[in-house]
Each structure stands twice: as structure tokens, then as C-alpha cells.
Amino acid sequence: MEVLGLTPALLALFLSFGFMVGVFFGFFGMGGSFLVTPTLLVLGYPAPVAIGSSMAFVFGTASIATLKHHDVGQVDYKLGGLMFVGIVLGIEAGKMLVFGLEALGYAELVVGIAYILLLAAIGLVFTRNALREPEAEDDDTGDDEIPDIAKKIKSYNIPPMVRLTDGSKASLWTISGVGGGVGIVSGFLGIGGGFIRMPAIYYLVGVPLAAAVGTSLFGALMSGAVGAFSYGLSGVIDLGVVTALLVGSALGARIGSAATAYVDEADVTIYFGIMLLLASAAVAFGELATWLAMPILDTVSFLLLIGSALFVTSIILYYGVQSVREQRGRTGTRKKVDG
Amino acid sequence: MIELTAQPAVQAAVVVGLVFVEALALYVGYGAIEERVAPPVLDAIANT
């Protein structure tokens, strides 16, 4: 019996994997999509299906996050709207690249290698930041300040210049470049691209940090919608996979988000970094399985990917439970003493 | 795989619309569940 076009085993896998991805997204504010495409590739889905389905998943998670962010966040909708054309063109270019490589028979290989490098790079950044002394992480730049590099870029007045919501001016070329550049990466890898877009909006366009986060989220929503539509035109999106992942991730994101109130991010960042490095190795094993015609490596790859994600999710939940007990226990003791 | 048979543009728009409706339903549904379930769950964790 199949549900959503998936066998019970696959349904359970996508629900639980979606939950884990949701916990990461809710807790770290990222990791919602760059684990989905590689997992689908490892499971044997063709690259266009894996990327298209991941883009639809990004659209779903970004919609939920934007709904949550709407009241409290700062979103520069004008800037988001100005990036739209760049996002459309970038995603279309990324998609054409995927289908071109698919026609040549290299899509899974090239996308796989891109993921090995991407996951390793982000994993190294997280691991290095976790190992760095806390003092070194101090940043004097406040939420409303703009970094020097952005001021320098803003000083080059390349017309047409547009006025942003905060009153500052930026070149439409820079804005379109950010939208298009991140769009290509999104369309090629099936990711929201927030981990690139947010710093790009902050450092290149020069939007204050708080607004950059919200605007980047809005950008992910647009990227997901455009990507899902674009890949949907080719009929390669597996709605069953997307639905199962979304059901799991929407729940996981709530729990991950709630855990931020109890768990110190510094305690678990190292595990997240290591998980990304293991995910990079997992994709490499998946590629080797094809090259060497050794299916056992596919199993190793799958276990490494799911196992490491399960481990980090468990760590976050464990720290969360411990912290709830400590904090509530302390409150209970105080109440008893006061009473 | 769930099959949709329609013109590509309509099919793509339906996919985007369905995902958005799912996201909306999950946001509202889980929000309501969280409101009811979160306090007793936190109490249960604290008391075990």
C-alpha cells in the first residue's frame, strides 16, 4: 500500500528526515535544504527530480518561516522585489545547466561534486567557529550598522541607483547581481541559498543585519516559488516526497525554534559542523558507489547521512530536555522556598 | 510519484499552489497543537 505515492518505509524515512531537517532549520536558521538534495540523490532520484523537489520543499519551509517572521522581522520588500528579476533569470540559468548536464549524463556527478565541496566548506566554517575562542567571535558591528565593505561598494554610483526602504541608495546592478548570482546556485543545487544571500545582502547591498535576515528569507520564498514553478514546468517535482518532508519539517522547525530558548547554540555548533563534513563524505561515498560499481558504498553513504543527522537532532533534543529540567526544577525549588 | 496531468504551466502553478496550501495548513495546524500540547509536555519533561 502506498501513501502519497511512497511505500510505508519511504514515507517514514521522509517524515523523520524532514523532522530532523526542520529541527536544524528551526535551531540554526539554516540547513533546511542543503541536506535534502544530496539525500534524494543518494536514494537514487535523478538530479532534476531531487533538485526540483528540494526547491518545492524550500518554498514550503520559507513560506512557513516568513509567516512566523512577518510580525517580528524586518523585511525590505522593495529590495526583495528588485531582486526578483535576477532570481528568475538565475534560477532559470541554474535549471538549464542541470538539464544540459542531464542530457549529457553528467548531472548527478557534477551536482554531487558541487555538494561535496559545498557541504565540506560550510562544515569547516561551522567547525572552525565552534573551536574558536568565544572572545574572537565578538563583533563590534551592531544590527543597525553597515559594514565598511558595503559602504565602499555603495560609494560606486553605477546607475540606475534605487532608494531602499531604509533611505539609503544602492545600484540596481548590485541588487540584480546578488539576486541572479544566488539564483543560479539555488536553481543548480535546489537550495534556498539563505546562507549566501543573507551575507550578500548585508555586505554587498549594505542593508542592516536585522533587515538582511528578513529580506533573505523573503528571497528564499521567491527562489523556492520560482524554482518550484520552473522545475514544475518540466514535471519533475515529486509532490509525495515534498509533502512528507514538509509535514516532518514543519513540526521539527517548531521544536528546533523552541529549543533555542533552552539550548546554547555554542554547545551544539561543533556537532552540526561535523555532521556537514560527514554529509560531504556521504555524498562522496555515493559518487564512488557509482564509479566503482559498489552498491555497498551507497548503503554506507545513506547510513552516514541519516545517522549523522539523527545524532545531531538527538543532541539538540537531549540538551533541550536537560535544560528544561534544570530551569523548571530551579523555578520549582524557588517556588517551594518562597512558599 | 504523484502524477498531475495538465498543461505544463497549469501543472507547475498547481504544484506551487498545493505546496503553499500545505505550508499554510501545517503552520496553522501545528500552531494550534503547540498551544495546547507544549505546556503539559514541558511540565512532563520537568517532572520526569
Side-chain angles (χ1 to χ4, degrees), chain A residues 185-198:
Chain A
V185 180
S186 290
F188 184 62
L189 296 175
I191 55 175
F195 63 97
I196 311 171
R197 190 184 299 102
M198 198 282 285

Side-chain angles (χ1 to χ4, degrees), chain A residues 35 53 61 63 91 169-170 296:
Chain A
L35 288 172
S53 302
T61 51
S63 298
I91 286 182
K169 281 184 172 182
I296 184 72

Side-chain angles (χ1 to χ4, degrees), chain A residues 31-69:
Chain A
S33 56
F34 55 63
L35 288 172
V36 172
T37 306
T39 303
L40 293 177
L41 288 175
V42 165
L43 286 169
Y45 285 86
V49 176
I51 297 166
S53 302
S54 183
M55 291 257 52
F57 173 69
V58 165
F59 174 55
T61 51
S63 298
I64 293 171
T66 304
L67 284 167
K68 282 187 82 171
H69 206 269

Side-chain angles (χ1 to χ4, degrees), chain A residues 229 235 243 247 254 325 328, chain B residues 22 27 30 34 43 45 48:
Chain A
F229 184 80
T243 302
V247 169
R254 280 189 180 271
R325 280 182 184 154
R328 297 232 167 180
Chain B
E22 281 175 15
Y27 176 72
Y30 280 141
E34 185 181 354
D43 284 342
I45 290 171
T48 50

Side-chain angles (χ1 to χ4, degrees), chain B residues 1-28:
Chain B
M1 194 169 181
I2 296 173
E3 299 287 343
L4 294 171
T5 48
Q7 292 293 316
V10 176
Q11 181 178 308
V14 168
V15 167
V16 175
L18 276 175
V19 172
F20 185 71
V21 170
E22 281 175 15
L24 202 61
L26 289 168
Y27 176 72
V28 174

Side-chain angles (χ1 to χ4, degrees), chain A residues 269-295:
Chain A
T269 299
I270 180 101
Y271 299 109
F272 188 62
I274 292 169
M275 182 201 74
L276 293 173
L277 293 174
L278 290 174
S280 170
V283 180
F285 277 122
E287 293 298 328
L288 282 174
T290 310
W291 290 351
L292 304 174
M294 288 176 69

